[in-house]
Amino acid sequence: MVTLILFGISLITVYSAGAYLVHKNSGGSLPLLGKHAFMLALGLGAVFFVHRLPIRVFSRASSVLVWVAIALLLLTLLIGVEINDAKRWMRIPGIGITVQTSDFAKVMLITYVARMLHRNQHKLHDFKRGVQPIIVPIALVCLLILPADLSTAALIGFVAVTMLFVGGVPTRHLLRLAGAGAALGGAGLLAATALPNLFPRLSTWKNRLASFADGDGELLDQIRYAQIAISRGGLTPTGPGTGAARNFVPESYSDMIFASIVEDWGAILGGAGLVILFLMFFYRTLRAARKCPIRFGSLLAFGLGMSITFQALTNMAVAVRIFPTTGQPIPIVSYGGTSILFNSLAIGMILAVSRTREVPAAPEAAE
């Protein structure tokens, strides 16, 4: 039910906040509504289809698809479509659709980590045999996403490390990984200073942090306008389409859609209500994880639920200036194409975990 409510909020808000897209494409509002409704319908179809699959299918597929995702991330860096000085998208030949490969990589990596924590549960005390095979794909995915999308790389890394902690990796190994990560980050910063072309978006990251710290700067215009829209919303709703955020807030249908929701629906119903919906989503995910008799399913539901919820809360925190600008949309709610499908895939996998009630006869049957 939470997912269906989020789909409904998305349809109403994107239609209300999409004036910029209508003006840009000069096609009127109905084509925009139709396109977004079509993607949401595909997403619901994906949820229904995936949730009926046994979870062992996800485990076995991830052992191959995680490497496919890594290959796609590498291709994106080399020949991807560049938008706003960042190569995050791959164009599918023949049909012209662009795919943000990091969304696919995030779902596959979380599934793979859950699989390996399940398979190696009796070897996690041995770093080389039990933990290292899990760390290598995590490092590759994060490093390949990092040059174009720091926030997504940080989100995926945080979720993956949290899964390692929940999955039983000893603290001494986690401290070892933290030390290696700090050393690698320091080396990367020095390399980026010496070779500015190594991380072309380094100046953008620095400007965002500086603007967030001193509360001034051109990059904060987006946040400043979002805060104006949130203030105009007040406490009680005025109704969909009544706000003016769509006319002056950049990305009011995507990154800053939270400001549009609060302006139309008020701080209580729109702001706090959306936060509560995602917290309910995470709570239900944790219940599914706790009740699943298979370790892989529990870890999978936890990782996917945490990823979706944390990304949503990060977006809302940016809009109210708790976090610096990240560029993270709200899963399912924000306007998007293939991102809706990949998030729907994740929700379908969580629902598949919630349907799992019997332990397989043999342990390998769950892998």
Side-chain angles (χ1 to χ4, degrees):
M1 285 305 300
V2 172
T3 300
L4 291 175
I5 292 171
L6 291 174
F7 270 76
I9 292 173
S10 175
L11 188 64
I12 294 171
T13 307
V14 168
Y15 182 56
S16 170
Y20 171 77
L21 286 178
V22 173
H23 173 73
K24 180 180 178 181
N25 297 324
S26 302
S29 57
L30 288 180
L32 170 67
L33 178 65
K35 179 181 177 182
H36 191 60
F38 176 71
M39 295 308 301
L40 291 175
L42 285 181
L44 282 176
V47 170
F48 180 77
F49 173 76
V50 172
H51 100 284
R52 300 181 65 85
L53 298 175
I55 62 174
R56 65 176 179 271
V57 173
F58 311 142
S59 177
R60 293 171 179 172
S62 70
S63 63
V64 175
L65 292 181
V66 70
W67 301 107
V68 173
I70 289 171
L72 290 175
L73 289 174
L74 181 59
L75 284 175
T76 302
L77 273 181
L78 297 176
I79 59 172
V81 178
E82 185 171 332
I83 301 176
N84 296 329
D85 300 323
K87 289 184 178 180
R88 302 177 186 173
W89 293 266
M90 280 288 294
R91 192 179 303 278
I92 300 177
I95 58 178
I97 296 177
T98 56
V99 178
Q100 191 162 347
T101 50
S102 60
D103 289 330
F104 173 66
K106 176 172 59 178
V107 175
M108 289 302 106
L109 180 66
I110 290 172
T111 309
Y112 179 80
V113 171
R115 168 187 169 86
M116 295 304 294
L117 286 172
H118 171 73
R119 288 172 61 92
N120 294 356
Q121 57 183 307
H122 301 301
K123 299 186 290 185
L124 294 178
H125 63 280
D126 186 331
F127 184 85
K128 186 174 182 179
R129 294 174 58 241
V131 180
Q132 188 171 299
I134 310 175
I135 295 301
V136 172
I138 295 174
L140 288 174
V141 168
C142 291
L143 288 174
L144 288 172
I145 294 175
L146 177 63
D149 197 345
L150 172 63
S151 60
T152 298
L155 172 66
I156 293 175
F158 176 74
V159 172
V161 171
T162 304
M163 289 179 67
L164 295 180
F165 174 75
V166 173
V169 174
T171 305
R172 66 180 185 276
H173 293 337
L174 294 176
L175 292 176
R176 183 177 177 181
L177 292 174
L184 185 63
L189 186 60
L190 291 175
T193 304
L195 302 170
N197 293 330
L198 185 62
F199 293 104
R201 291 182 58 82
L202 181 63
S203 59
T204 300
W205 302 336
K206 289 181 176 179
N207 289 338
R208 286 180 174 178
L209 289 174
S211 299
F212 174 76
D214 61 24
D216 198 5
E218 182 180 351
L219 285 175
L220 270 184
D221 283 348
Q222 186 182 50
I223 308 301
R224 188 177 298 111
Y225 292 147
Q227 289 180 313
I228 292 172
I230 290 172
S231 177
R232 287 165 55 94
L235 294 177
T236 57
T238 57
T242 58
R246 60 186 181 274
N247 298 322
F248 64 89
V249 178
E251 307 291 336
S252 62
Y253 53 90
S254 180
D255 296 354
M256 290 295 119
I257 197 170
F258 184 64
S260 299
I261 293 173
V262 174
E263 188 181 21
D264 286 352
W265 295 99
I268 297 176
L269 185 60
L274 192 61
V275 173
I276 291 172
L277 279 174
F278 275 101
L279 292 179
M280 287 176 60
F281 173 85
F282 190 48
Y283 170 71
R284 297 296 304 180
T285 298
L286 292 179
R287 285 198 61 182
R290 183 174 60 86
K291 291 183 177 180
C292 182
I294 302 173
R295 178 179 169 86
F296 164 73
S298 297
L299 291 168
L300 176 65
F302 171 78
L304 293 175
M306 181 182 179
S307 172
I308 291 173
T309 305
F310 190 72
Q311 182 179 333
L313 296 179
T314 298
N315 175 282
M316 300 177 211
V318 169
V320 297
R321 205 171 170 271
I322 296 176
F323 287 171
T325 304
T326 62
Q328 293 291 329
I330 300 181
I332 297 297
V333 176
S334 293
Y335 179 82
T338 53
S339 64
I340 291 178
L341 294 180
F342 289 129
N343 282 308
S344 298
L345 172 66
I347 292 171
M349 294 167 74
I350 294 171
L351 287 173
V353 171
S354 73
R355 295 177 67 247
T356 304
R357 288 290 178 265
E358 297 181 359
V359 181
E364 61 271 14
E367 299 175 358

